[in-house]
Amino acid sequence: METQQLPSWLPTANRIVRAVHRIGLPLGTIHLLTVPGRRTGRPRATPVSPLVVDGHRYIVAGLPQSDWARNARAAGRGELVRGRRRRDVALREVTDPDLRRAVMRAFPTEVPHGVDFFVRIGLVERADPEQFAAAAERVAVFELGDTPGDTAARP
């Protein structure tokens, strides 16, 4: 996969979203995913928008070599937070190209407010499901699952 540069506006936007979540306010479909850092083990949080395809939940990293995506690969687990609700999740990177395309095809419908991010980083030109499907090999897709022994969300 090609390495893309982190947009200069993204760290500021992520800080704002994290601050809104810290006070317990949900923001659209945005959740915070916290995973341990792959070198330090310190928790690292990033905004994500889960989507559902065929009854399974997924998240997409538009920048597949971003720190959060690399941390998610290394840890294989994390905590998903929306407002005041927290849930431990298993993270499994999707390697099946057909499934990756299906998830990306659903993205503009399931997460319409996330389309602008993909346009701004140059992966697609507009909210066209087929453009998103065509970009599937240039992103990372993770399936969210229950962690062993934790099947219920915590308040």
Side-chain angles (χ1 to χ4, degrees):
M1 288 186 199
E2 66 191 54
T3 302
Q4 294 168 308
Q5 178 116 9
L6 186 69
S8 60
W9 52 267
L10 190 58
T12 301
N14 285 349
R15 277 193 296 277
I16 292 167
V17 171
R18 286 192 304 265
V20 169
H21 270 269
R22 258 194 303 280
I23 61 174
L25 296 175
L27 189 61
T29 63
I30 299 174
H31 293 60
L32 284 184
L33 175 68
T34 302
V35 295
R38 62 194 177 283
R39 284 182 250 150
T40 66
R42 291 182 24 213
R44 303 289 185 190
T46 192
V48 297
S49 289
L51 64 149
V52 176
V53 176
D54 294 330
H56 296 269
R57 293 177 77 191
Y58 301 92
I59 54 176
V60 176
L63 302 168
Q65 295 306 317
S66 63
D67 283 335
W68 84 259
R70 294 179 350 184
N71 289 341
R73 280 185 200 100
R77 64 180 173 80
E79 181 183 58
L80 199 60
V81 178
R82 183 165 193 276
R84 297 195 187 277
R85 295 186 57 93
R86 300 175 178 279
R87 181 182 197 99
D88 291 330
V89 293
L91 298 163
R92 181 187 62 82
E93 189 163 11
V94 175
T95 57
D96 174 19
D98 293 331
L99 181 54
R100 290 164 59 96
R101 280 191 294 277
V103 170
M104 286 300 288
R105 188 174 285 114
F107 191 92
T109 303
E110 293 283 318
V111 189
H113 68 274
V115 169
D116 188 52
F117 174 77
F118 287 89
V119 170
R120 290 178 83 173
I121 65 171
L123 283 174
V124 298
E125 293 178 2
R126 62 187 179 283
D128 174 33
E130 293 312 313
Q131 281 191 22
F132 272 80
E137 61 193 42
R138 298 190 328 253
V139 301
V141 176
F142 294 90
E143 183 176 5
L144 300 173
D146 291 326
T147 58
D150 180 38
T151 58
R154 297 188 318 265

